[in-house]
Amino acid sequence: MISGTKRIRLAVVGAHLRSQPLNHQLTDLGAEFVRSARTGPLYRLYELDAATPPKPGLLRFASGEGAKIRVEVWELNSENFGAFMENVSAPLCIGTIELEDGKSVKGFLCEAHVIPAAKDITEF
């Protein structure tokens, strides 16, 4: 890594977790596992039927309407973050996620228009 290169923290769920089928998209770009965490109680998790491999979608709700969702936080340099973004396709997107400890990191979110047809899997 070039000295002074900006590092970006990214929260992932589902297929990008360690030992899951898309984790290599992170590790191939030199991403490093930072820690397991949970989101603040602001999110719900949905099963996205059309995704292959199956992927969940995380959607933010108003305070009191969500739950704490388990995530993994990874870190990669900004150049490789841009390369990683090439693999992210709709209805998934990258936004800012609030963690249980109050810190914010970039992370996978889901476009709201797919939620009416998706199954809520927050409890799992």
Side-chain angles (χ1 to χ4, degrees), residues 1 6 12 20 28 38 46 58 64 68 70 73 75-76 78-80 86 90 101 103 108 110 115-116 122-123:
M1 178 175 78
K6 181 178 169 116
V12 301
Q20 294 301 310
D28 289 352
R38 294 191 314 171
Y46 293 88
L58 193 64
K68 296 177 182 180
R70 292 185 187 276
V73 178
E75 187 176 74
L76 62 166
S78 58
E79 187 174 290
N80 287 344
E86 291 292 322
D101 62 9
K103 293 181 181 176
F108 278 97
C110 183
I115 298 309
T122 302
E123 66 184 85

Side-chain angles (χ1 to χ4, degrees), residues 51-68:
T52 303
K55 298 174 194 163
L58 193 64
L59 189 64
R60 186 175 177 138
F61 281 81
S63 182
E65 296 179 30
K68 296 177 182 180

Side-chain angles (χ1 to χ4, degrees), residues 10-27 45-48 51-58 70-72 74 84 87 92 108 121:
L10 176 70
V12 301
V13 296
H16 285 92
L17 297 171
R18 290 177 294 168
S19 78
Q20 294 301 310
L22 297 180
N23 182 257
H24 72 89
Q25 291 179 347
L26 291 164
T27 58
L45 197 61
Y46 293 88
E47 179 179 38
L48 304 177
T52 303
K55 298 174 194 163
L58 193 64
R70 292 185 187 276
V71 298
E72 288 181 355
W74 289 75
F84 178 78
N87 295 312
L92 296 176
F108 278 97
I121 58 171

